[in-house]
Amino acid sequence: MTILKHIKIAGVAAALGLLTVTAPARAESTYNVASLADFTGPYADVMKDLIGARRPVIDWWNAEVGKKIGVKLGIKDYDHRYDAAQVASLWPGIKAELNPIIVLGVGGPDVAALQGRLPSDKIPMVMSTAAYGFAWKPDPWIFNQRPTYSHEAAAFFEWFRQKRGGSGPLKVAIISSEASPAYVDQHKGVQRYAADNPEKVEVVEVVFTEVQPTDLTTQVNRVTRKGAEVIMIMTNTAAVVATKRALQSLGKNVPIVVSSHNGLAESGRAIGDIKQMEGDYEVYAMAAPTDAKTPGREFFEMLQSKYNLKAKWTVSAVQGLGQALIAMRAIEAAAKKVGADKITGEAVREALMSTTISADDTFKILGNTKFSNDGPFPTQGLVASIATIKDGKYIEAASVPVPSINKW
């Protein structure tokens, strides 16, 4: 029965003076979700869509899933400025205030600060980003819906090399920084992949710069002279803008490959026009936010119309949707297993470890997701989306398997 029909029938009953009996509402157990954010640091430009997608998912779940199983979730954001020391400082207060059953993380500082604490606190954390090699350990309490950035980059390199043709290795330059453990991890993983696959990839140089560089002309000139065929930047939009401006000033046409948090749309906005990203690429193991009518896009539009979603249909929003849905499905599975009034962080973590979250459960935003004791991300069957700007339009270029990489 539709809501409209229900209202009409109730109205008729009242008009006729009929006695109506309402079933007692099911008691709900309330739990909290801690939402980590960066509103004032290097990722402030993407937080509006990322956080803007998280909350409506929880509102939808509360109304359409949680109410049926007797669970209600609260959520609170905490700004840590993408700083590991700030995460560590905030965490005791977050735990005391919310006693969360799950944490929604942002990036590397969260992992660096909390990976040693969460097992004893018995609170799992779900990330929207790719994973990190330094957290690639058994018995995880931090869960990534995607493999490492290096895995995703390797998927792109293999595809781009085949597209290029020829038998030599693809020559890659990497723009990185030693300011964040996540940034260091990205280039270390690619270096390991290149060392194990010298016939496929050659890293011509890793350029170290500040977190948010302004001028990289000298460095970009150097790597292009070394024959770089693609420049990998999986740090932030500021690095993309500085590299793009350097390429333009040098008259060089070398494609850049980025990740989700500094994707083509975000970097295009930062540089002034997405058309300036013509011929560049982004890669990640989740759905690309193209104009195609997909289950993920339809879910997003439903959240817009019914649950006040204000985010734009961007890669950052897709990250937030996937992350929140993984968390919601784990809480759902935990409630079914231990009871709605007995959910703990440990029960949610056990649900993450024992439940296969199907592609349909995430509206095809992610593939079938199955975690194990092997590490913090699914280790088999992952597929990466590659998107690009062609003729000024954002399109999906390919969907490719994610290769294996040895630990680094």
Side-chain angles (χ1 to χ4, degrees):
M1 179 182 294
T2 67
I3 294 174
L4 183 59
K5 286 181 179 178
H6 180 81
I7 292 171
K8 287 181 176 178
I9 291 171
V12 170
L16 294 176
L18 299 178
L19 177 64
T20 58
V21 179
T22 303
R26 182 171 184 174
E28 290 180 323
S29 298
T30 301
Y31 303 95
N32 290 319
V33 176
S35 170
L36 304 184
D38 172 19
F39 295 121
T40 53
Y43 295 107
D45 58 335
V46 302
M47 279 301 109
K48 185 175 181 180
D49 288 348
L50 178 62
I51 303 300
R54 282 179 183 172
R55 283 180 168 272
V57 171
I58 293 177
D59 290 341
W60 160 80
W61 190 89
N62 278 336
E64 302 190 27
V65 181
K67 186 172 288 187
K68 296 176 182 177
I69 62 175
V71 176
K72 184 175 182 179
L73 301 175
I75 181 172
K76 183 174 180 179
D77 299 327
Y78 295 87
D79 181 14
H80 59 52
R81 304 191 299 271
Y82 203 75
D83 182 277
Q86 183 71 1
V87 178
S89 176
L90 287 172
W91 177 245
I94 294 172
K95 188 174 67 169
E97 180 183 7
L98 294 188
N99 188 27
I101 58 171
I102 198 165
V103 183
L104 303 181
V106 172
D110 309 338
V111 178
L114 299 181
Q115 66 176 341
R117 300 187 182 199
L118 295 177
S120 58
D121 292 337
K122 299 191 181 304
I123 302 171
M125 180 163 67
V126 174
M127 305 296 293
S128 68
T129 60
Y132 307 98
F134 58 76
W136 191 349
K137 300 174 182 179
D139 301 319
W141 281 80
I142 295 174
F143 297 88
N144 292 80
Q145 58 202 27
R146 295 155 48 192
T148 70
Y149 291 98
S150 303
H151 281 86
E152 294 177 339
F156 171 80
F157 295 149
E158 291 196 0
W159 172 80
F160 193 76
R161 179 173 175 270
Q162 291 178 351
K163 181 174 178 290
R164 180 206 68 180
S167 58
L170 181 70
K171 293 187 176 183
V172 176
I174 302 172
I175 306 295
S176 188
S177 172
E178 293 181 300
S180 166
Y183 295 170
V184 173
D185 185 75
Q186 292 165 3
H187 69 253
K188 280 189 174 181
V190 172
Q191 287 174 317
R192 177 59 191 265
Y193 174 75
D196 292 343
N197 299 274
E199 76 286 359
K200 293 182 178 180
V201 170
E202 176 189 346
V203 178
V204 300
E205 184 180 343
V206 178
V207 175
F208 294 103
T209 174
E210 58 269 28
V211 175
Q212 294 180 284
T214 55
D215 184 5
L216 293 175
T217 305
T218 300
Q219 297 91 328
V220 170
N221 185 48
R222 186 170 65 242
V223 300
T224 56
R225 289 171 66 88
K226 290 180 179 180
E229 298 171 85
V230 64
I231 299 175
M232 168 185 152
I233 309 172
M234 295 189 171
T235 55
N236 54 53
T237 55
V240 177
V241 171
T243 302
K244 196 68 181 177
R245 286 175 175 160
L247 288 167
Q248 291 169 345
S249 68
L250 294 166
K252 304 290 186 179
N253 187 25
V254 179
I256 295 170
V257 60
V258 299
S259 187
S260 53
H261 55 272
N262 64 334
L264 296 172
E266 288 81 358
S267 295
R269 283 199 299 268
I271 203 169
D273 188 347
I274 196 171
K275 292 181 180 179
Q276 293 192 50
M277 305 300 294
E278 182 80 19
D280 295 319
Y281 297 91
E282 62 187 22
V283 59
Y284 36 73
M286 60 183 188
T290 65
D291 290 335
K293 271 290 184 185
T294 62
R297 181 63 182 269
E298 291 175 357
F299 177 65
F300 177 86
E301 291 174 351
M302 182 276 294
L303 294 178
Q304 283 182 314
S305 64
K306 294 180 64 176
Y307 294 98
N308 200 34
L309 186 149
K310 300 297 185 186
K312 295 180 181 178
W313 179 236
T314 64
V315 179
S316 298
V318 173
Q319 280 189 244
L321 293 175
Q323 175 187 33
L325 284 167
I326 289 288
M328 296 302 99
R329 297 311 189 189
I331 292 169
E332 200 174 323
K336 291 177 181 177
K337 184 171 184 179
V338 303
D341 60 340
K342 298 180 179 65
I343 302 175
T344 62
E346 193 168 14
V348 175
R349 189 254 185 187
E350 175 57 32
L352 281 164
M353 296 289 285
S354 61
T355 305
T356 297
I357 300 172
S358 72
D360 288 338
D361 287 335
T362 64
F363 304 95
K364 305 292 179 67
I365 288 167
L366 303 169
N368 292 335
T369 303
K370 178 68 173 73
F371 296 104
S372 71
N373 281 320
D374 295 339
F377 57 90
T379 54
Q380 294 182 343
L382 293 171
V383 175
S385 297
I386 298 172
T388 189
I389 305 299
K390 184 176 181 181
D391 299 326
K393 295 182 179 180
Y394 177 83
I395 63 167
E396 186 169 7
S399 180
V400 298
V402 175
S404 297
I405 303 181
N406 294 319
K407 286 186 178 182
W408 56 91

